[in-house]
Amino acid sequence: MSEARKEIMGRIREALKTPSPKPHLKGESSKVAGKAWLPEVGDTDAETMALLSDNLAKLKASFHPVENLDQAIALVKDLAQKKNWKNIAYHKNELVTPVALAIAGNAWAVDEAFSKDKLEAADVGLTSCVSIVAQFGAILVSSETSGGRGLSILPPVHVVIAKADQVVPDLAACFAQINVQFGGKMPSMLSFITGPSRTGDIERILVLGAHGPKELYLILVR
Amino acid sequence: MLNSKSIFIKESTLTSADGDQRQFIRTALGGYYKNRDIYQARYRNWELARDAASLAKWSAVNNLAEVLEKFVAKFESNGGKVHWARDAAEARKIILDLVAKANATAVIKSKCMTTEEIHLNDALEKAGFGVVESDLGEFIQQLRGEAPYHFVFPCMHLKREAISELFTKHLGTAPTDSPEELTMIARKHLRKLYITADVGITGANFLVADTGQISITENEGNARLTAAMPRVHIALSGIEKVINTIDDLTVLLPMLATAGAGQPMTCYNTLYAGPKKPGELDGPEEFHLVLLDNARTQILADPEQRDSLHCIRCGACLNVCPIFKNIGGHAYGTTYQGPIGSVITPHLRGLKDWNHLSGASSLCGACTDACPVRIDLHHHLLQNRRNAVKVVPNLFDRVFHGTFNFVIQRPALFSLGGKVFRKTFGLLKHLPLPYLGTWLKSRDLPAIPPKSFREAWKDSKNV
């Protein structure tokens, strides 16, 4: 154990010999089931979905619920044509691959070794996700199952394809699910994406696409 | 050499007299107030959420030894390497050594106030390593060679014209008055740097003990890129950032965003567990975390103010503070501005030289009301004032209060003293007395009434 570690831990133990009282609390949040003091989650599936849709709209993310994978493919094809997406980077996945391969142009999978410059030049990053949190409109991606760290952040457009049953009501449900899915072995990165990249650093005026994607699409297959 | 107090007085006098700038800051904060209120109202019970957030931090800070040990063991089992730094110099040395070992030619940084606290950029530059700030506000401040104005909104004091001029001067871009175009200039400039940098340096908002992850909150995506592209990722964090469980983030992540920036959640909230794992497609080969004490254990040893270690650096207390809004961020001369800065800076840099910050408060309590983790900020400012008397005895205060205390307990003397005071007040005003002279420089006092309240009361009974 390093000298510094020993000394700092010693200082901490010494300092904590004098206890400090509990903070002045207004109530007992732990006694309220389901953390029902956080923002709404919706009582029914329909309400949760409406909430998700509303949250994504406020975040200026583009939300497209579709009936099946064919509709998803048609939608992305249409978008690619309108937006002139030519260079599409994706990762191999049962939902993502068929969509990527259907787009005319150059779609390439990041699953084989790629250069950072190649990814930087892509028009679109096409990924799956771990789950979607309705309470905040947050999309969770992982380095293990969503194409690594760069794919969802470096290209200027991020398109996420997911299934409707990946929607969870709140963060607590999301974390519980992660624990089950990954067990004790967390991916090296888990990232909640809540709308397209943004900044307010200049005069507190909102600008989208600061460093990450300027556009974010969520295509939800029922 | 000017001391920190006289610099503070000089700077705050200048900035508070600049009406245009004050109005500009108010306008900039206007949008924040509006959005904060909207998203705060979406909580089914904001006060209970504050309780939960406060308790989550309280239980971690008050069991810091165990929680930190647990975090470190888990973090290392995830493949990360932990380094311990007792103070700023030790932290700088650790990071410089890591950067040198990585044979780095370029270093990219995301926003991290703890690196400001240890003056890391200076040290890196002196050692010959080019370092570039990637957060837009920090990038602008780095080009200006100026410290952040606000620890969440680093360049909120600047008008777009000033930023446009700065970019023209340093980057050779055409002038523009559009915040969007200015943002795109920075975006374009920094993109290649993420790819060419060998080392990425970030901070950490939370250290999650039960999973061994570090959590980073941001909006721009620059921290994501900083931790994705370079070969080596170094994170710097204070030891107090540790929390017990990942479940604590269910309340801390949204509250940090709502209290700090008026958002439901910030754009990116990312959890890192180790470097690139086998089977993953990209990511750094090495992941280092530097845990910094730098007087945090001293705050921990003060049970009265221990809760100031609960701070999640959201900046809500600055945004509502009448002092901050009038004197601005630079007048403080500290890494952490506003109420929380005035509370902790005396611990970090010494009460003797920094107790004047505790005097720069109206004690209105707006900061305490705004704090999402219920830090008793304005009372801590009072405690600092009390503690300062022991460190820096003030003869005038002692004589004045001693005399007052003696007189107020003796009605006859009080009555006589009042008479003398009313008669001689006109003269007193012109004497170079401490406090009164400064006060009267920009203010008038009302005329003193000819009779005391007791005399007036007696007269009214006689009518």
Side-chain angles (χ1 to χ4, degrees):
Chain A
M1 196 184 285
S2 78
E3 215 33 58
R5 175 175 185 169
K6 248 187 250 167
E7 196 173 323
I8 294 171
M9 292 309 291
R11 289 179 194 170
I12 293 173
R13 293 208 164 86
E14 186 60 34
L16 288 174
K17 279 183 183 162
T18 320
S20 81
K22 270 200 177 187
H24 301 292
L25 302 182
K26 299 279 154 81
E28 289 191 65
S29 52
S30 61
K31 289 200 176 157
V32 180
K35 303 188 182 186
W37 22 265
L38 284 172
E40 291 291 344
V41 293
D43 292 329
T44 62
D45 284 355
E47 275 177 29
T48 304
M49 210 50 93
L51 188 70
L52 174 66
S53 171
D54 180 51
N55 280 332
L56 289 167
K58 286 200 171 80
L59 292 163
K60 301 185 196 298
S62 193
F63 180 43
H64 304 273
V66 294
E67 290 303 322
N68 50 49
L69 197 56
D70 288 341
Q71 281 189 10
I73 291 170
L75 178 77
V76 176
K77 262 182 160 170
D78 190 41
L79 278 169
Q81 202 178 12
K82 275 187 199 144
K83 304 262 178 182
N84 200 23
W85 295 340
K86 291 274 188 266
N87 181 348
I88 291 122
Y90 71 100
H91 70 102
K92 289 179 184 162
N93 169 279
E94 51 161 349
L95 283 175
V96 177
T97 308
V99 175
L101 295 180
I103 308 170
N106 178 24
W108 57 282
V110 293
D111 300 72
E112 283 88 49
F114 62 94
S115 78
K116 294 170 187 175
D117 287 303
K118 188 177 180 191
L119 186 60
E120 203 273 329
D123 298 321
V124 180
L126 192 63
T127 76
S128 65
C129 70
V130 177
S131 55
I132 299 145
V133 183
Q135 191 177 35
F136 299 107
I139 299 166
L140 181 69
V141 296
S142 90
S143 52
E144 195 177 307
T145 59
S146 320
R149 295 194 187 192
L151 185 60
S152 56
I153 192 73
L154 196 56
V157 176
H158 182 198
V159 179
V160 182
I161 305 182
K163 283 186 183 160
D165 64 10
Q166 286 178 278
V167 176
V168 295
D170 58 10
L171 285 175
C174 176
F175 288 135
Q177 192 208 55
I178 292 170
N179 274 329
V180 174
Q181 185 175 344
F182 297 106
K185 281 252 162 246
M186 289 287 186
S188 79
M189 185 203 79
L190 281 165
S191 186
F192 290 100
I193 300 174
T194 315
S197 156
R198 61 197 58 210
T199 185
D201 273 348
I202 300 171
E203 297 188 12
R204 308 293 321 129
I205 293 166
L206 177 70
V207 176
L208 296 184
H211 295 282
K214 294 175 199 183
E215 295 172 34
L216 174 67
Y217 296 84
L218 173 61
I219 300 168
L220 202 60
V221 183
R222 223 177 287 272
Chain B
M1 209 177 111
L2 285 170
N3 64 23
S4 50
K5 183 179 176 180
S6 49
I7 294 171
F8 175 76
I9 290 172
K10 185 168 157 261
E11 287 292 317
S12 52
T13 308
L14 284 175
T15 49
S16 58
D18 186 345
D20 282 351
Q21 183 64 23
R22 280 164 51 188
Q23 189 51 49
F24 178 73
I25 294 295
R26 264 157 226 262
T27 309
L29 285 171
Y32 158 79
Y33 296 138
K34 191 175 137 244
N35 289 326
R36 179 202 58 188
D37 290 349
I38 290 171
Y39 286 105
Q40 216 160 282
R42 294 179 82 180
Y43 281 72
R44 281 167 282 176
N45 191 328
W46 176 253
E47 293 304 320
L48 281 183
R50 289 176 76 201
D51 283 351
S54 171
L55 208 53
K57 287 296 293 187
W58 180 85
S59 64
V61 164
N62 282 279
N63 298 290
L64 192 57
E66 292 75 26
V67 185
L68 207 51
E69 294 275 19
K70 186 176 167 187
F71 165 76
V72 168
K74 194 77 196 173
F75 181 86
E76 289 183 330
S77 79
N78 286 334
K81 173 99 180 65
V82 173
H83 308 261
W84 298 76
R86 282 164 281 203
D87 53 30
E90 195 165 25
R92 286 194 299 267
K93 187 176 181 310
I94 292 167
I95 296 174
L96 282 178
D97 286 350
L98 287 170
V99 172
K101 223 176 106 190
N103 285 322
T105 50
V107 179
I108 190 111
K109 256 195 86 234
S110 70
K111 186 171 165 21
C112 166
M113 289 313 294
T114 318
T115 61
E116 295 282 341
E117 182 186 325
I118 67 166
H119 303 293
L120 180 65
N121 287 5
D122 267 0
L124 281 168
E125 274 156 24
K126 275 189 193 126
F129 300 110
V131 54
V132 179
E133 292 284 352
S134 59
D135 171 82
L136 177 59
E138 294 283 348
F139 176 66
I140 290 167
Q141 290 307 96
Q142 190 184 27
L143 288 181
R144 284 172 63 86
E146 189 178 62
Y149 180 87
H150 177 301
F151 62 72
V152 178
F153 314 139
C155 68
M156 71 174 297
H157 61 307
L158 296 179
K159 297 186 176 126
R160 59 189 79 179
E161 297 78 19
I163 297 167
S164 172
E165 267 174 45
L166 184 78
F167 283 0
T168 304
K169 186 178 152 199
H170 291 274
L171 310 175
T173 49
T176 168
D177 63 357
S178 148
E180 167 141 29
E181 280 175 27
L182 289 167
T183 304
M184 291 312 133
I185 290 171
R187 176 186 171 101
K188 203 170 156 232
H189 178 77
L190 288 162
R191 272 181 96 69
K192 292 285 173 191
L193 298 178
Y194 294 115
I195 293 170
T196 51
D198 309 288
V199 174
I201 300 178
T202 70
N205 292 86
F206 304 102
L207 314 173
V208 187
D210 68 340
T211 58
Q213 295 162 305
I214 73 165
S215 175
I216 299 180
T217 291
E218 54 150 347
N219 269 311
E220 297 182 359
N222 61 311
R224 280 277 315 263
L225 287 163
T226 301
M229 311 317 282
R231 194 162 38 76
V232 178
H233 176 192
I234 304 171
L236 172 69
S237 170
I239 49 174
E240 84 286 11
K241 297 279 176 74
V242 72
I243 54 173
N244 281 291
T245 71
I246 193 171
D247 199 55
D248 291 335
L249 294 178
T250 56
V251 55
L252 292 170
L253 292 182
M255 288 191 79
L256 173 57
T258 305
Q263 292 178 268
M265 249 170 80
T266 64
C267 202
Y268 300 102
N269 285 280
T270 310
L271 290 151
Y272 293 100
K276 170 184 185 297
K277 297 214 154 114
E280 291 185 350
L281 303 175
D282 57 359
E285 290 159 22
E286 295 171 33
F287 182 26
H288 300 271
L289 173 65
V290 181
L291 289 174
L292 178 71
D293 178 353
N294 207 30
R296 283 160 177 79
T297 46
Q298 202 179 305
I299 304 180
L300 194 70
D302 179 354
E304 204 171 49
Q305 295 192 17
R306 188 177 291 163
D307 72 351
S308 59
L309 293 176
H310 297 184
C311 179
I312 56 175
R313 302 282 187 265
C314 70
C317 59
L318 282 70
N319 299 342
V320 299
C321 178
I323 308 299
F324 175 83
K325 281 188 273 186
N326 285 310
I327 70 171
H330 285 142
Y332 290 88
T334 58
T335 307
Y336 307 102
Q337 309 82 10
I340 185 66
S342 300
V343 169
I344 63 174
T345 304
H347 291 277
L348 301 178
R349 299 188 187 173
L351 184 60
K352 192 165 171 285
D353 293 324
W354 294 93
N355 74 79
H356 57 276
L357 296 177
S358 307
S361 165
S362 62
L363 301 177
C364 65
C367 47
T368 308
D369 285 344
C371 179
V373 290
R374 291 201 191 285
I375 301 171
D376 202 0
L377 288 158
H378 70 294
H379 285 110
H380 293 339
L381 293 174
L382 270 178
Q383 289 150 6
N384 276 348
R385 293 185 193 180
R386 179 202 61 203
N387 297 344
V389 176
K390 291 174 209 150
V391 184
V392 196
N394 184 325
L395 189 66
F396 174 81
D397 273 1
R398 224 194 257 172
V399 171
F400 180 83
H401 284 112
T403 313
F404 182 76
N405 193 19
F406 183 81
V407 172
I408 193 87
Q409 294 181 65
R410 291 161 179 81
L413 201 56
F414 180 71
S415 171
L416 180 71
K419 264 188 196 128
V420 173
F421 181 71
R422 285 197 298 280
K423 290 268 190 290
T424 56
F425 183 69
L427 291 171
L428 276 177
K429 279 208 294 198
H430 302 292
L431 292 179
L433 291 175
Y435 305 135
L436 194 62
T438 321
W439 175 263
L440 288 174
K441 256 189 209 161
S442 54
R443 295 171 191 85
D444 282 326
L445 277 181
I448 299 284
K451 285 177 184 172
S452 75
F453 173 77
R454 292 199 299 176
E455 284 166 351
W457 178 262
K458 220 182 259 172
D459 287 355
S460 74
K461 294 259 171 162
N462 291 339
V463 171

